[in-house]
Amino acid sequence: MVRENMPTMNLLTILLHLLATVCPSTSSISDSEICDEGHFKCNGSSVCVPQRQNCDAKFDCPDGSDEWNCADLPGATFWDHLFRKRPAAERDDQGHVDCAWRNFKSICACKGNDIFCQYKNISRVPALPSRNLMLLDLSGNPFTTLSESNLGKLPEVNTLVLQHCSINRIEKGTFDGLASTSTLYLSHNEIGELKEKLFPPQNKLKILVLSSNRLKTLPVNVFLNLAQLNELDLRSNSLTEVNALSLQPLVNLRTLYLNGNQLTTIKGSFPCLENMATLSLANNKLRDIPVNAFVNLPGLMYLFLSGNRLIKLRTGSFNNLDHLLALNLNENAIDEIEIEAFSPLVNLTSLDLKGNKFRKPDRTVLKSLGKLEYVYFDEFAMCLAARWVRVCEPKGDGISSLQHLLDNPILRASVWMMAVCACTGNILVLLGRLLARESNAVHSLYIRNLALSDLLMGLYLILIAAADIVYRGRYIDYEEIWRHSVTCNLCGFLSTLSCESSALILSLVTWDRFVSVTQPLARRQPSPRRATLHLVALWLASGIVAALPLTGASYFGNEFYGSNGVCLSLHIHDPFAKGWEYSAVMFILVNTVALVFIIYAYVRMLREIKISSVALRSTQESQERAVAQRFGVIVATDCLCWVPIIAVKLVALTAQR
């Protein structure tokens, strides 16, 4: 047994030595040293924990402090508030509460100090108690036009809800009687215009919700007299611009939602609003953030610019935002970030950069963000640009992680098992076919070439598994070196050569059998020489297909095989990277054509055998059953190999569109 294992051990030693040429060794950090960049000191001990082990749901510090403060509170608070419950639903948890007014009789429902007149098909406010009314919900009634005649006799009410009322016009003087109202919901209507001086001077309005209407512009004096307003919700309208003069009266405004509009620029949009803390401009059409765009908002703490069309972040765009805590720039088209773009954001704790075009952020771009605690990228390898940040997402791509090339232990074991089985099994096939005498030399030649093709995949798996051992526990430090190494390109070449040659050789074998069965008299068995020429042509074609990405052509870029840690050209994580059409043709077109042909050929052969059989019925049924089983196994194994690859590639392409 020892002798039999020697060649395998020698091969592994050679492979590890080869890989060591592209992976410099590093020494581990001793407990007595100060934590290096990318490591974080545990609370109350000298243990240093790598960035990748913070907030990974595993306790690595003696006191578990690496799992403390893992919630990104600024972002969570924003989304919780943005998608808050409807006003009436906030009372649902109170259970049964008696009406605050004795002998209350109305078509409306009463609960405590709240009255609900939802979807009662009324166009005027019914008779209601005149005092101590906290909430009046008139949602779903066809008011259409709001005026003093149908709304002016409202009692004093703290919160008024007029959602889903088909309101398309609000006349002047409508809200003159709402002197005590602090919260007004006018969302989900058809309001296309707001008149100037709509709110009376004596109003106490603090929250105004105008979301999901049809507003295109904001008149200059529309918010006059709203000096006490704290929150203004204008999301999901059709605003193309915002004039600073419109917002100027809102001196106490703290929260402004402008997301989901048609804004193309924000130049000159914001007056001096020192109390503004939250601003959402998400899901608009902004292409640029001008210099000093937010200079009049010095108290801004949460800024959301996701879902726009930003291409470049320039120096000075975030001037005077030294109180900003959270910045969302995800889902844009950013491909360039100037070195000093984030310099003013000295107190930033959360930064989201997912869903952009850049792939290699400069390592100095984020250096000014000394208090950054949470950063979000598309790829875990980008965390190299933020080694001092405690939590960097993602921590892996499903295959690799910040720590390991093959992150999952089951995946790691499976790669080794398949590598050993592929190499051992195909070597035995090659030796057996070479040593044993074969009555059908052509068939034996096909089998040997198919075994050689599958052996290449086994060698690829051994190289990947060996690389995982070399980089174990510190993969992120050498991730870029590995992906651009000669060994990774060799792995990509071997896997592509194996896949394409297997598909072509299987198609050739199927064609040979197909013609022999369907035209047994019209075709002679090909000679070994002719079969060899066919195989040489197939290997040459496969080799050219696998080698073209290594020619340095600009179409393929420099990461065709190195786009991921396992050096596959499948391009799942970035399906539209350079050379994606080439990858799609290889894994979708070629494999699909080969699979369809093989299925068709074997179904046709089975039919021909059934028709041409002249043996006894019992013998015929037995033979047909045996042939059907053999053909079924061949087709099933082909489907199991190729269908998942084709499906995954198609899903990746369609999901990104």
Side-chain angles (χ1 to χ4, degrees):
M1 292 295 293
V2 175
R3 285 181 175 274
E4 291 176 359
N5 288 333
M6 284 296 291
T8 304
M9 294 302 296
N10 290 337
L11 175 61
L12 180 58
T13 303
I14 294 171
L15 291 172
L16 292 174
H17 180 73
L18 173 64
L19 288 164
T21 61
V22 296
C23 350
S25 61
T26 58
S27 58
S28 58
I29 301 173
S30 66
D31 290 343
S32 60
E33 295 175 343
I34 299 174
C35 295
D36 290 342
E37 186 178 63
H39 293 72
F40 300 83
K41 192 172 179 293
C42 293
N43 186 53
S45 72
S46 59
V47 177
C48 294
V49 175
Q51 180 191 59
R52 59 184 173 268
Q53 294 179 359
N54 281 297
C55 299
D56 63 349
K58 298 177 183 177
F59 293 108
D60 298 292
C61 287
D63 58 356
S65 57
D66 57 305
E67 300 303 314
W68 295 356
N69 302 320
C70 290
D72 189 352
L73 293 179
T77 302
F78 170 79
W79 292 113
D80 285 347
H81 183 68
L82 185 64
F83 296 106
R84 58 190 179 273
K85 291 182 179 180
R86 55 188 173 86
E90 294 176 359
R91 268 73 169 175
D92 290 346
D93 298 334
Q94 296 177 0
H96 177 74
V97 179
D98 292 332
C99 183
W101 300 277
R102 292 182 179 181
N103 303 319
F104 176 81
K105 293 182 179 180
S106 173
I107 61 172
C108 304
C110 177
K111 186 175 183 180
N113 293 86
D114 303 332
I115 294 179
F116 305 97
C117 299
Q118 303 158 314
Y119 299 95
K120 300 297 183 182
N121 198 30
I122 56 177
S123 57
R124 288 178 177 271
V125 178
L128 297 170
S130 59
R131 301 171 62 183
N132 302 323
L133 184 57
M134 293 299 296
L135 180 143
L136 175 59
D137 193 340
L138 295 166
S139 297
N141 292 295
F143 281 91
T144 310
T145 299
L146 285 185
S147 64
E148 191 174 5
S149 62
N150 64 1
L151 204 64
K153 295 182 180 180
L154 274 175
E156 292 184 0
V157 57
N158 184 270
T159 300
L160 176 61
V161 183
L162 288 161
Q163 299 181 138
H164 301 282
C165 291
S166 303
I167 300 168
N168 55 42
R169 178 182 173 84
I170 303 176
E171 296 184 356
K172 282 188 177 182
T174 298
F175 303 121
D176 286 355
L178 302 180
S180 62
T181 302
S182 63
T183 303
L184 176 59
Y185 288 86
L186 291 166
S187 55
H188 298 280
N189 285 293
E190 299 174 10
I191 303 170
E193 181 184 7
L194 294 175
K195 297 183 181 296
E196 294 188 349
K197 300 179 181 179
L198 191 59
F199 300 94
Q202 69 275 17
N203 79 87
K204 297 179 181 179
L205 209 58
K206 292 186 177 180
I207 299 175
L208 176 58
V209 181
L210 286 160
S211 60
S212 299
N213 279 285
R214 299 180 179 180
L215 297 173
K216 294 182 179 180
T217 59
L218 295 175
V220 172
N221 294 320
V222 65
F223 299 126
L224 198 65
N225 302 323
L226 292 181
Q228 297 187 50
L229 197 70
N230 295 147
E231 179 180 330
L232 177 59
D233 189 344
L234 291 165
R235 57 189 159 125
S236 301
N237 278 280
S238 301
L239 297 172
T240 55
E241 62 177 353
V242 176
N243 192 327
L245 295 176
S246 302
L247 302 177
Q248 194 166 8
L250 308 176
V251 293
N252 285 303
L253 191 65
R254 292 188 54 81
T255 302
L256 176 59
Y257 296 125
L258 287 166
N259 40 306
N261 280 280
Q262 305 293 318
L263 300 177
T264 57
T265 180
I266 55 172
K267 187 175 183 180
S269 294
F270 305 108
C272 185
L273 299 173
E274 296 183 356
N275 295 314
M276 177 87 77
T278 300
L279 173 62
S280 177
L281 293 161
N283 301 316
N284 278 281
K285 298 180 179 180
L286 302 176
R287 293 185 175 274
D288 181 52
I289 303 298
V291 175
N292 294 326
F294 308 105
V295 72
N296 290 327
L297 308 175
L300 201 61
M301 300 173 67
Y302 311 109
L303 177 58
F304 298 87
L305 294 164
S306 55
N308 280 284
R309 302 175 182 179
L310 301 177
I311 298 173
K312 179 180 179 180
L313 296 181
R314 61 180 75 249
T315 302
S317 293
F318 303 112
N319 281 346
N320 207 30
L321 294 183
D322 53 348
H323 288 89
L324 198 69
L325 298 178
L327 175 61
N328 279 38
L329 290 161
N330 52 302
E331 308 306 327
N332 278 282
I334 300 170
D335 60 5
E336 181 183 354
I337 304 176
E338 293 186 358
I339 299 298
E340 300 296 326
F342 296 127
S343 294
L345 309 179
V346 293
N347 286 301
L348 196 71
T349 61
S350 176
L351 176 62
D352 193 340
L353 290 167
K354 297 193 302 290
N356 284 288
K357 290 186 176 181
F358 66 88
R359 285 294 174 265
K360 294 180 181 178
D362 192 294
R363 297 192 183 187
T364 62
V365 165
L366 305 180
K367 279 294 184 182
S368 59
L369 306 178
K371 294 187 178 180
L372 197 63
E373 297 180 5
Y374 309 92
V375 63
Y376 307 94
F377 294 113
D378 282 323
E379 300 175 6
F380 71 91
M382 296 181 184
C383 291
L384 277 175
R387 298 297 302 276
W388 72 95
V389 181
R390 182 170 174 267
V391 178
C392 182
E393 298 285 351
K395 297 182 182 294
D397 59 7
I399 297 175
S400 304
S401 68
L402 297 170
Q403 195 168 3
H404 307 304
L405 172 57
L406 299 175
D407 186 51
N408 192 305
I410 297 176
L411 174 63
R412 199 177 302 148
S414 299
V415 169
W416 274 112
M417 289 175 59
M418 294 185 68
V420 171
C421 290
C423 289
T424 304
N426 286 291
I427 287 174
L428 290 176
V429 170
L430 287 171
L431 291 175
R433 292 286 175 173
L434 287 172
L435 297 177
R437 289 188 176 183
E438 292 284 345
S439 57
N440 191 333
V442 172
H443 178 72
S444 178
L445 184 63
Y446 289 154
I447 297 300
R448 288 200 300 270
N449 278 268
L450 193 57
L452 178 60
S453 174
D454 294 339
L455 177 62
L456 295 180
M457 185 59 73
L459 292 176
Y460 157 77
L461 292 173
I462 285 182
L463 283 171
I464 295 298
D468 175 61
I469 292 177
V470 172
Y471 298 116
R472 185 74 52 80
R474 54 200 175 99
Y475 176 60
I476 188 61
D477 295 325
Y478 303 104
E479 185 265 350
E480 188 171 355
I481 296 174
W482 159 247
R483 288 192 299 107
H484 293 89
S485 67
V486 174
T487 312
C488 183
N489 282 327
L490 175 61
C491 288
F493 174 81
L494 289 175
S495 64
T496 302
L497 180 60
S498 176
C499 286
E500 297 308 304
S501 59
S502 291
L504 294 177
I505 293 172
L506 275 172
S507 299
L508 177 63
V509 173
T510 303
W511 170 256
D512 183 67
R513 290 183 176 182
F514 177 73
V515 175
S516 298
V517 171
T518 58
Q519 302 177 23
L521 301 178
R523 178 180 181 271
R524 296 176 57 187
Q525 178 75 11
S527 65
R529 183 173 179 275
R530 187 176 179 182
T532 301
L533 290 176
H534 289 163
L535 289 168
V536 168
L538 294 184
W539 276 106
L540 185 61
S542 302
I544 292 173
V545 168
L548 278 177
L550 302 177
T551 59
S554 59
Y555 169 75
F556 296 102
N558 60 350
E559 290 186 345
F560 187 81
Y561 286 135
S563 63
N564 53 77
V566 291
C567 310
L568 279 176
S569 57
L570 196 56
H571 293 179
I572 297 299
H573 299 99
D574 189 9
F576 295 102
K578 281 192 171 183
W580 71 269
E581 300 95 340
Y582 195 78
S583 173
V585 168
M586 280 196 300
F587 289 103
I588 296 178
L589 182 61
V590 173
N591 286 353
T592 301
V593 170
L595 183 62
V596 170
F597 167 69
I598 289 172
I599 293 174
Y600 165 76
Y602 280 114
V603 170
R604 175 78 182 279
M605 282 189 280
L606 188 60
R607 183 183 175 188
E608 291 292 332
I609 291 172
K610 187 174 182 178
I611 293 174
S612 61
S613 178
V614 294
L616 294 175
R617 182 171 182 80
S618 59
T619 306
Q620 175 185 346
E621 290 178 354
S622 176
Q623 289 177 344
E624 287 179 2
R625 194 181 306 112
V627 171
Q629 289 175 351
R630 182 178 299 177
F631 286 0
V633 169
I634 293 172
V635 171
T637 52
D638 290 342
C639 289
L640 286 174
C641 289
W642 291 342
V643 169
I645 295 175
I646 296 169
V648 167
K649 184 66 177 176
L650 283 171
V651 168
L653 289 171
T654 55
Q656 293 294 322
R657 285 301 190 192

